[in-house]
Amino acid sequence: MLTKAMFCILGVITLMGIAFITQAAVESSTLPKTAEEKQILSVISELEKSRGEMLNVPTEDGRLLRLLTEVSNAKSVVEIGTSNGYSALWFCLALRVTGGKLTTFEIDPQKVKLAQSNFKKAGVEKIVTVVEGDAHEEVKKLKDPIDIVFIDADKSGYPDYLNKLLPLVRPGGLIIAHNMKSPAPSPEYIKAITTNPDLETIFLNMQAAGVGVTLKKR
């Protein structure tokens, strides 16, 4: 007969096992299905070695971007804040399947060159357009409908990006914002995405930097 103490021990062992499996799942690598996917993942792996220097999103957030893009069959993605192209490559993993394209904005000329080089290495340069300049001004030139917007740039500028791009996001489209926990997000942005009845927002991966996923209701 199992004693109360033995039940407690079994419970702890079970919880430890679940925690181990969960952590192992989080840290598992994305397995390439095709040679094209393998090429992109190879560049992503290289960029992860300099993640801290470029302030790239965590791997699990990158995988989330890919999943949301592919499951929604997104054709038009707009990214604010290219950096070295790390997040963009996760989008490209999905866009090469959906037949879509990415337009990404970056103000730093050196980062633009670095990103373009990485896109070429990954073989995705034909589906990515890099716009150099101040995104607050450059996004005004966008006219076509957008399926997904990803904001990962100057935190105080999030409300402005939202105001300018939300009208272009199609009903059923997504606005994804990084750093919803750290560094501290714009209170104005949080209010805008949580008090508008036309929007539905959830927050994910809040144990890390945090990701806000906002649906523009149909």
Side-chain angles (χ1 to χ4, degrees), residues 86-107:
Y86 179 81
S87 297
L89 290 174
W90 284 106
F91 279 117
C92 288
L93 282 168
L95 292 171
R96 68 184 183 83
V97 176
T98 66
K101 293 189 177 181
L102 170 70
T103 301
T104 180
F105 294 82
E106 176 56 54
I107 196 170

Side-chain angles (χ1 to χ4, degrees), residues 112-134:
V112 168
K113 293 179 181 179
L114 181 58
Q116 289 173 329
S117 175
N118 289 326
F119 296 149
K120 189 171 183 179
K121 288 179 187 176
V124 298
E125 70 274 17
K126 292 184 179 180
I127 62 173
V128 181
T129 298
V130 184
V131 179
E132 182 180 331
D134 183 352

Side-chain angles (χ1 to χ4, degrees), residues 38-81:
K38 184 177 181 179
Q39 183 177 355
I40 298 172
L41 288 171
S42 176
V43 179
I44 286 175
S45 180
E46 283 298 312
L47 295 184
E48 287 180 341
K49 297 175 182 178
S50 60
R51 182 197 310 282
E53 299 172 21
M54 292 294 170
L55 301 177
N56 294 147
V57 304
T59 303
E60 59 266 30
D61 292 350
R63 297 173 79 173
L64 176 64
L65 297 177
R66 187 257 182 100
L67 288 172
L68 290 173
T69 304
E70 191 161 340
V71 76
S72 63
N73 199 36
K75 298 291 195 300
S76 174
V77 177
V78 170
E79 176 187 43
I80 309 298

Side-chain angles (χ1 to χ4, degrees), residues 65 68 91 148-151 174-178 189 211-214:
L65 297 177
L68 290 173
F91 279 117
I148 293 178
V149 170
F150 178 53
I151 309 174
L174 300 174
I175 303 96
I176 308 172
H178 203 249
Y189 179 80
V211 180
V213 181
T214 300

Side-chain angles (χ1 to χ4, degrees), residues 176-194:
I176 308 172
H178 203 249
N179 299 116
M180 291 292 94
K181 180 181 178 183
S182 176
S186 160
E188 185 181 348
Y189 179 80
I190 298 297
K191 181 178 180 181
I193 60 174
T194 56

